[in-house]
Amino acid sequence: MRRIDAAIVTLVTLVLLVGLGAVAWKTVERAEGVLVPALEKKADAVALSVASLATEAVGYGIPVPRFVGAEAVLRAALDEDTELAFATILAADGTVTAEARREDDIGFARRGEADIATVTRAIDGADGAVGAVAVGIPRAVEARVLRDLAIDISVLLLVAILVALELTAFAFALPSAARLRGITTRLSAARAGRFDVPPGASDPALAAMDRAVDARRARLAALRERAAGDGGAQKALETIDARHHLSERPAGAVNLAVVRAPVFLFFFAEEMTRPFLPTSIASLAGPVPGLSPEVVIALPIALFMAIVALSQPFLNGVTERAGRGRALRIGALVAALGYGWASSAGSLIDFTLARCVTAFGFATVFIAAQGFVVDRTAAGGRARGIGLFVSAIMAAMLCGPPIGGIIADRLGEATAFQVSAVMALVAALCAFVALPRTEGVTRTARGTVRFGDLPKLLARPAMALLLIGTAVPAKVLLIGLCMYLLPLELAKSFEPAVIGRVLMLYGLAMLVTVPLVSRLSDKQGLRVPFVVGGGVAAGASVLHLVLWPEPWGAALMVLQIGVAQGLSTTPQSALVGDLGRQAVPDLSEGALYGIFRLVERLGTVVGPLLVGFVWTMTSAMHAAFVTGGLVIFGALAFFVAAMASGDGALRLKSAGRTP
């Protein structure tokens, strides 16, 4: 990043941290004075309701000690409001005549008065109070509510900063920032005594600066002609040239950052649905003859992924011919329509159709954005270019789930889908502003995916196991376990906001790991160790589910999967390019990666169905262990094939960049 970019981004980050941090602190500080009385008012409302019923019974001549069914009424009150610790009915002398207490994992037990806030309402008789109803809320509940609020605000603070940084980077990538960037680059070079700046500036101010530098280059060339035959003068001129880099004209850099913000915002929209999507399907799903509830819930998810996978073979060629930028904008608009439709769906069929529309838009955006990056990177920097693309998705996976969970908790799942629609529209707007209207990339001879090329690729054992042994199981683990099984299991005890915070750990781990691994993969050729090690670590992560209680075991599992797949994602993509070019030399980069994504996406289709089937036949824990074992087996099988092949692209470590 250039110095001025780093300075501005640092300043923006500091301002946001100070400003939003102060707001967050004051919000939590004032919440105690609002939420705690609100909890006591809830307890008071329950006590008043029960006391009113008891007063009515007393009016009919039933004394308090002889109430029938009182404990059932109190138990129903506790079941309706999970924050209450107990509800009791007391006679006039203070004797407990009916009682319901909560004894569960939150720790509601018999406590002293210091640990429980008790609200009392009198039971009135003809001559005054004849008893009372007491309802208690543990102080631990008050602390938990404040803690959850603080966590939600911290997550919002983190997401706000990340979104602001993404949009700041997007602003630097816009053509409108070219003048400031160009002037800064040229002045920095001149200050260092260098004149090797990229040519071809269209801005008048930059062109004037370049003409001044070109005049010095012309002067140097003229002096060389005049000094022909004079060894001393030629040597002096060579020294001047080497010192000031007058003869060097580096190629203009390809700006890939313009696609990052649209990709980030679009995937943000989809990731917002992760914490509550399976439970939304479950709420609409009815019994289907011959299918278990687990498989019925998995079907819409699998259908979404199937559309994404099967539409990719022709979408690569379509987006290449139509223009990557135009295709990305259209795909985002189609997905926005699907999110809006899903927010108002009243049946499982209606919801599934809406998700199918979203899936087509999702696939279009993914292929167009990936093609934009692949078209503009050479093989040596391919992993780094893909890393830029993947890191935008990972940032969205970090921000989307917790925000979606909070919105679903506070405003409902329909509102969360509507917010996703708005985010997709904003992504389309960013793509309209930043991405080129006309494509300047030379078209390849073959831009479409042909299924006939797949057998040629799979004929090489190492390539076949790279795709089927590592890429497919990785998606089975991610979609089947993290995005399907975990939300359903955690929803039995936790709110969508908690589920969102668990799922965001995957994006956090990937966001940190992917850029580092991309650089090492390109520079050191450490691709096979990263792919194999990442697969084994990802499969072993399911052990956390039996080592730790919920939600900590799930959180550690998701975090480890994120780190492990962060190790393998970009090296795996780069290996596909290396091996694919050797297997099918006339296959375009876009078509090659289209086949790779097609095979990889098959894992996203199989994942929820496989996990749902095993879950139905055995249990959720067995389904998790079967999935983890499949990932480990595939990674080890690829390692054996890679070592047996003797292919230079599959060396454990190369001396330099992989070509």
Side-chain angles (χ1 to χ4, degrees), residues 505-507 509-510 513-514 557-567:
L505 295 175
Y506 178 86
M510 290 282 280
T513 309
V514 165
M557 185 194 76
V558 171
L559 182 64
Q560 183 168 323
I561 290 174
V563 172
Q565 294 195 352
L567 291 175

Side-chain angles (χ1 to χ4, degrees), residues 297-317:
I297 297 171
L299 283 174
I301 300 175
L303 182 59
F304 179 98
M305 296 301 176
I307 292 174
V308 172
L310 297 177
S311 61
Q312 291 187 17
F314 73 89
L315 278 178
N316 182 68

Side-chain angles (χ1 to χ4, degrees), residues 255-339:
N255 190 4
L256 297 176
V258 292
V259 78
R260 182 182 172 96
V263 168
F264 168 75
L265 293 171
F266 180 81
F267 279 86
F268 193 122
E270 177 60 25
E271 292 301 322
M272 283 178 57
T273 68
R274 299 299 188 192
F276 58 86
L277 180 61
T279 53
S280 293
I281 299 171
S283 66
L284 296 171
V288 177
L291 296 178
S292 67
E294 293 81 6
V295 174
V296 172
I297 297 171
L299 283 174
I301 300 175
L303 182 59
F304 179 98
M305 296 301 176
I307 292 174
V308 172
L310 297 177
S311 61
Q312 291 187 17
F314 73 89
L315 278 178
N316 182 68
V318 170
T319 60
E320 193 173 30
R321 290 189 297 271
R324 306 295 192 184
R326 184 182 297 111
L328 195 153
R329 292 188 286 271
I330 294 173
L333 293 174
V334 171
L337 175 63
Y339 290 126

Side-chain angles (χ1 to χ4, degrees), residues 300-619:
I301 300 175
L303 182 59
F304 179 98
M305 296 301 176
I307 292 174
V308 172
L310 297 177
S311 61
Q312 291 187 17
F314 73 89
L315 278 178
N316 182 68
V318 170
T319 60
E320 193 173 30
R321 290 189 297 271
R324 306 295 192 184
R326 184 182 297 111
L328 195 153
R329 292 188 286 271
I330 294 173
L333 293 174
V334 171
L337 175 63
Y339 290 126
W341 186 359
S343 70
S344 60
S347 67
L348 182 60
I349 294 177
D350 199 22
F351 184 86
T352 302
L353 291 175
R355 292 296 291 167
C356 289
V357 172
T358 305
F360 186 77
F362 183 94
T364 303
V365 171
F366 185 92
I367 290 297
Q370 179 181 257
F372 186 92
V373 173
V374 170
D375 292 345
R376 289 162 174 79
T377 53
R382 180 62 35 76
R384 188 173 299 180
I386 294 174
L388 175 74
F389 170 67
V390 172
S391 64
I393 299 175
M394 294 308 107
M397 295 187 75
L398 169 62
C399 299
I403 297 300
I406 292 172
I407 294 174
D409 262 355
R410 304 295 190 269
L411 303 175
E413 297 172 1
T415 302
F417 276 116
Q418 292 165 4
V419 174
S420 291
V422 172
M423 294 290 292
L425 290 175
V426 175
L429 178 62
C430 289
F432 179 81
V433 171
L435 299 187
R437 306 291 192 277
T438 57
E439 299 293 328
V441 179
T442 303
R443 301 289 178 226
T444 55
R446 292 179 51 195
T448 58
V449 175
R450 297 194 313 187
F451 286 100
D453 295 320
L454 186 57
K456 299 177 184 178
L457 292 173
L458 298 183
R460 303 183 66 174
M463 185 67 170
L465 287 170
L466 178 64
L467 295 178
I468 299 174
T470 65
V472 171
K475 293 301 181 183
V476 170
L477 185 70
L478 176 61
I479 303 300
L481 203 55
C482 295
M483 305 305 174
Y484 164 65
L485 186 145
L486 276 186
L488 285 174
E489 282 293 288
L490 292 178
K492 296 176 181 178
S493 305
F494 303 97
E495 301 82 6
V498 176
I499 300 172
R501 291 196 289 268
V502 170
L503 296 181
M504 73 177 284
L505 295 175
Y506 178 86
L508 176 63
M510 290 282 280
L511 187 64
V512 173
T513 309
V514 165
L516 299 176
V517 174
S518 297
R519 295 187 182 94
L520 288 175
S521 175
D522 276 344
K523 291 181 179 179
Q524 303 297 329
L526 291 170
R527 291 177 175 170
V528 171
F530 280 141
V531 171
V532 175
V536 172
S541 66
V542 298
L543 293 172
H544 290 297
L545 295 177
V546 297
L547 295 177
W548 313 98
E550 291 183 348
W552 302 108
L556 290 172
M557 185 194 76
V558 171
L559 182 64
Q560 183 168 323
I561 290 174
V563 172
Q565 294 195 352
L567 291 175
S568 61
T569 295
T570 50
Q572 182 186 74
S573 297
L575 275 176
V576 168
D578 296 338
L579 296 175
R581 282 188 296 271
Q582 297 175 17
V584 188
D586 63 333
L587 190 64
S588 72
E589 294 285 349
L592 174 61
Y593 281 97
I595 292 176
F596 168 50
R597 295 303 175 192
L598 170 63
V599 176
E600 181 186 48
R601 291 282 178 185
L602 292 178
T604 66
V605 180
V606 173
L609 295 176
L610 175 63
V611 171
F613 177 76
V614 178
W615 188 357
T616 301
M617 300 300 294
T618 55
S619 66

